[in-house]
Amino acid sequence: MREDVENLDIRDVTANWVNAAVLARQIDDRIKALADLSHTPLFFGRLDYLHAPGADQAEGAEGERFYIGRRHVHDAEGDPMVIDWRAPVSQPFYRASTKDPLDVALRRRFGYTAGDLTAYEDEHLSDPAEAATTSKLLQQEIERPRVGPMRDIVATIQPEQDEIVRSGLSGSVCVQGGPGTGKTAVGLHRVAYLLYAHRERLARTGTLVIGPNRSFLHYIEQVLPALGELEVKQATVDDLVAHVEIRGTDDAAAAVIKGDARMAEVLRRAVRAHVTLPTEPVVVVRGSRRWRVPAYELEAIVRELLDRDIRYGAAREALPQRIAHAVLVQMERSGEAPDDRVQDAVARNTAVKAAVKAIWPPVDPAKLVLRLLTDADFLAVHADGVLDEDERKEILWARPVRSTKTAKWSAADAVLIDEATDLVQRTHSLGHVVLDEAQDLSPMQYRAVGRRCTTGSATVLGDLAQGTTPWATRSWDEALAHLGKGDAVIEELTAGFRVPADVITYASRLLPHIAPGLTPVASVRENPGFFEVRTTATDAAVIDACAELLRNEGSIGLIAADARVPALTEALAAAGIGHLGPGEETTPDTRLTLVPASLAKGLEYDYVVLDEPQAVVDGEPDERTGLRRLYVALTRAVSGLIVTHTAPLPSQLG
């Protein structure tokens, strides 16, 4: 298939060099999408139907056989050899069961090692004598060692996950899922499914995956290309609102207030305050005639624009045309017959432009936010009844700033500037947005993301128990309201596929203290995994644990409180153990990653050493946030976890 595309001759089918360039790029993208993955087979399953899909079963139509794979594969004649996992005919591979076989006689799963077929497993779903059993190949695939970036889960998608993946484009979905329930994979595969089912529409409107940090995005970046989807953009929230350079930080109290949804009203008031009701008429001179629009008529035009509550910039562009229309009405009454060209000329008249500048001056969003943060009187006027005096003092900058370029903006300030920018000019909306690790966003950050999908839909992924910011989400209903997707369906995943049973049971001791209402994750892993808590006298035991786990196959993560990372870096170097940082890809020679606890969210390793749990808790501004950070760190392991500590463990771990 790739060679067919490479051999296409487009010389006689393009009208000009622009068409040729566009077609050449599309061909190049198609070749990339058809790249072979050396360790990934083209198919992983087979379905034997009792009857041909779509045929009238009463006619006794003979069944068909389909091989299910990551993408569609056809032979030289164009006949399908492998069916894309997203096609309707593939759906029973994930949904069929002995209770509801969906007309499937046989489901076969294939096992592979390094791309070679090594095993297969059959389920005779329509045979009454067949007992429901757990697939060993499925378990082996779930527990396969992880080296390198995140991989797709098309061979292991579960029925409850498939239901979310295949939900329609028009509706938004929120997925609450504990550690190891596959919520990130579900979100990425949902994007792949939507691109398959609505390719033309999403090609026009665009798709975006938003992650918590660059390390996380690097970890997941290969999943969609492996499924043949190359056009999905990835970004962090900070990337979306990057109107200014971030060089400063806020303390927790200021960040919470700046992230509060009430700031949207403060900004709205501040933007609209730039409008001044006219007190003087506008006199337009054209040739020998003078046309006068009185102040009361101008005021009526301005009030009508304000009442419509449209974007500040759009109203400012409409104002000169409204004034010009008022002049044209007078012209027509005097017997003239002006056309659109005359109206445009009047709108560009010097007197009209001067009036517009005085009534509806341009607004620079960054300058507006800077004034709010540095001018106590300006903030007091526009935050009256919204923020109290203590809250206003908390967000005011202590020192004056010369300009927006010299200001030390924080990440929360950038979100405020993004809100102000949208008040002036509408933000472009995409067709679908996936928001991962959403529980850590502030209300204002939710609004920033929501602006990117006002006319599209969203998939929101997160775990309330893993919220590790002072402004972390308290409920999904509240978060979805800020996002502008209050009608989204909330789904909960509680079956754990990644974290071993002993590990998730231990970590779940923290749930009553960090998220009392959540259902604990129930591990479906047959392998209980390796789990040990070691009380040690010296820090050397941490390095010994890393060396011990490196004897196993797979990736190793050493997770520690951020403040302890420099000391552990030196200790690993002294022991001659090479290591990487989060986001760097592991290799067969270097499989250990030293992970600050603040960056562990969303990552996973075959084996994890967790250093000093109490230090992880103490590294956060309050105990609840610290315990949530610890919950994240405890649940990054796929096959085994060693907890080492010299200081006492947090009492909440029992």
Side-chain angles (χ1 to χ4, degrees):
M1 288 169 66
R2 189 170 61 250
E3 287 173 359
D4 286 345
V5 179
E6 289 171 341
N7 293 330
L8 285 174
D9 186 350
I10 62 172
R11 287 175 298 183
D12 297 328
V13 297
T14 54
N16 52 52
W17 68 270
V18 176
N19 289 350
V22 171
L23 190 55
R25 181 185 171 187
Q26 291 175 339
I27 289 173
D28 188 50
D29 287 345
R30 177 66 174 157
I31 292 169
K32 290 177 183 176
L34 289 171
D36 284 317
L37 302 175
S38 58
H39 297 290
T40 303
L42 285 175
F43 63 92
F44 51 81
R46 193 183 100 188
L47 286 178
D48 291 3
Y49 277 90
L50 289 172
H51 308 86
D56 185 353
Q57 296 186 13
E59 297 176 1
E62 189 176 339
E64 290 188 60
R65 173 177 297 172
F66 299 95
Y67 286 85
I68 313 300
R70 283 165 176 77
R71 67 260 310 273
H72 172 85
V73 181
H74 60 248
D75 60 19
E77 283 71 43
D79 294 325
M81 298 176 69
V82 178
I83 305 299
D84 194 301
W85 66 277
R86 298 166 287 187
V89 77
S90 302
Q91 187 171 341
F93 185 80
Y94 303 107
R95 302 273 187 99
S97 65
T98 51
K99 290 183 178 179
D100 185 11
L102 300 176
D103 201 43
V104 173
L106 178 141
R107 173 170 57 201
R108 174 170 290 179
R109 300 181 192 274
F110 294 97
Y112 289 86
T113 303
D116 294 329
L117 176 64
T118 54
Y120 69 88
E121 186 179 75
D122 287 346
E123 297 170 87
H124 299 275
L125 299 178
S126 296
D127 184 350
E130 183 90 354
T133 58
T134 302
S135 166
K136 286 185 167 47
L137 286 180
L138 200 62
Q139 287 288 337
Q140 290 171 7
E141 175 63 21
I142 291 171
E143 298 172 12
R144 185 157 55 93
R146 287 153 164 76
V147 177
M150 182 180 180
R151 58 177 183 254
D152 67 75
I153 61 162
V154 290
T156 62
I157 294 173
Q158 298 300 292
E160 63 272 21
Q161 295 174 324
D162 187 66
E163 191 171 335
I164 297 170
V165 166
R166 295 178 192 266
S167 54
L169 176 60
S170 58
S172 294
V173 179
C174 175
V175 182
Q176 158 64 40
T181 54
K183 57 185 176 295
T184 296
V186 165
L188 294 174
H189 287 68
R190 175 159 157 75
V191 172
Y193 171 77
L194 292 176
L195 286 167
Y196 174 87
H198 308 277
R199 189 167 302 280
E200 289 187 10
R201 178 175 169 185
L202 289 177
R204 294 193 307 271
T205 56
T207 50
L208 175 67
V209 174
I210 302 172
N213 51 56
R214 283 276 145 208
S215 299
F216 178 83
L217 292 178
H218 180 72
Y219 177 62
I220 67 169
E221 67 184 359
Q222 295 303 318
V223 174
L224 289 168
L227 300 175
E229 302 299 346
L230 306 174
E231 298 300 318
V232 180
K233 301 288 189 295
Q234 296 183 353
T236 64
V237 174
D238 289 345
D239 294 334
L240 299 182
V241 300
H243 304 285
V244 291
E245 183 182 357
I246 306 302
R247 296 189 295 147
T249 55
D250 290 310
D251 60 36
V256 169
I257 297 167
K258 289 179 181 180
D260 194 299
R262 293 176 296 163
M263 288 301 299
E265 174 60 18
V266 176
L267 289 165
R268 192 187 73 86
R269 292 180 182 181
V271 168
R272 288 169 66 93
H274 286 77
V275 178
T276 304
L277 292 176
T279 57
E280 299 291 333
V282 172
V283 179
V284 176
V285 179
R286 282 185 59 81
S288 61
R289 299 294 299 271
R290 293 161 63 87
W291 306 97
R292 183 177 180 275
V293 182
Y296 73 84
E297 191 171 348
L298 290 174
E299 182 179 338
I301 292 171
V302 172
R303 288 190 182 279
E304 191 265 336
L305 286 172
L306 286 171
D307 290 343
R308 289 182 60 192
D309 204 22
I310 58 177
R311 295 295 192 281
Y312 184 92
R316 187 173 187 275
E317 292 173 2
L319 181 57
Q321 290 290 336
R322 296 296 179 88
I323 297 173
H325 177 72
V327 172
L328 258 66
V329 170
Q330 294 184 27
M331 289 181 176
E332 289 170 348
R333 285 174 182 165
S334 67
E336 296 189 22
D339 57 17
D340 290 346
R341 290 173 298 176
V342 175
Q343 180 167 330
D344 290 340
V346 173
R348 294 193 300 268
N349 183 274
T350 304
V352 174
K353 290 166 74 173
V356 170
K357 187 175 181 180
I359 297 168
W360 214 293
V363 171
D364 182 308
K367 288 181 180 178
L368 174 73
V369 173
L370 184 63
R371 187 178 177 191
L372 280 171
L373 298 177
T374 56
D375 186 335
D377 293 336
F378 187 68
L379 178 62
V381 169
H382 301 299
D384 182 40
V386 180
L387 303 178
D388 62 35
E389 186 177 351
D390 291 338
E391 289 174 320
R392 296 198 298 269
K393 287 180 179 178
E394 192 67 53
I395 64 174
L396 275 170
W397 291 359
R399 298 178 182 177
V401 179
R402 290 183 180 180
S403 70
T404 56
K405 290 186 178 179
T406 59
K408 290 188 175 180
W409 299 106
S410 69
D413 296 333
V415 179
L416 295 179
I417 294 171
D418 189 69
E419 179 86 26
T421 301
D422 184 70
L423 289 166
V424 175
Q425 203 72 41
R426 184 182 296 277
T427 304
H428 173 67
S429 175
L430 299 166
H432 192 77
V433 169
V434 174
L435 175 61
D436 205 353
E437 300 297 347
Q439 72 279 345
D440 276 339
L441 269 59
S442 70
M444 290 298 284
Q445 286 176 315
Y446 276 116
R447 289 175 63 89
V449 174
R451 285 191 284 279
R452 272 73 187 180
C453 55
T454 50
T455 59
S457 55
T459 300
V460 180
L461 312 165
D463 179 12
L464 296 178
Q466 296 185 59
T468 50
T469 56
W471 50 83
T473 301
R474 289 173 293 187
S475 78
W476 289 123
D477 287 334
E478 183 181 322
L480 292 167
H482 293 310
L483 192 70
K485 303 296 180 187
D487 58 347
V489 176
I490 301 175
E491 303 280 1
E492 187 171 10
L493 296 175
T494 58
F497 303 99
R498 172 170 55 80
V499 186
D502 290 350
V503 174
I504 197 64
T505 301
Y506 184 70
S508 294
R509 294 181 183 183
L510 298 175
L511 282 180
H513 308 280
I514 61 178
L518 287 188
T519 305
V521 172
S523 178
V524 297
R525 297 269 300 274
E526 289 189 345
N527 179 359
F530 170 73
F531 172 60
E532 192 173 341
V533 179
R534 298 178 181 177
T535 305
T536 62
T538 67
D539 286 345
V542 180
I543 308 303
D544 293 341
C546 292
E548 176 185 331
L549 292 179
L550 281 168
R551 299 189 194 110
N552 299 317
E553 183 185 2
S555 57
I556 316 295
L558 170 54
I559 303 177
D562 293 32
R564 286 183 52 79
V565 168
L568 291 173
T569 299
E570 293 181 6
L572 288 169
I577 299 176
H579 70 278
L580 304 164
E584 297 180 291
E585 194 167 321
T586 55
T587 66
D589 297 325
T590 308
R591 295 181 288 117
L592 175 67
T593 304
L594 176 55
V595 187
S598 62
L599 296 180
K601 191 171 298 178
L603 305 179
E604 58 183 35
Y605 303 92
D606 286 295
Y607 296 91
V608 167
V609 177
L610 175 58
D611 167 75
E612 295 296 349
Q614 188 61 54
V616 174
V617 177
D618 294 341
E620 300 300 327
D622 60 84
E623 185 180 60
R624 187 185 186 196
T625 304
L627 290 173
R628 286 181 166 188
R629 185 75 72 189
L630 177 59
Y631 181 73
V632 172
L634 283 167
T635 54
R636 300 302 97 199
V638 175
S639 298
L641 170 68
I642 297 176
V643 178
T644 63
H645 66 103
T646 55
L649 291 170
S651 60
Q652 292 84 354
L653 284 174

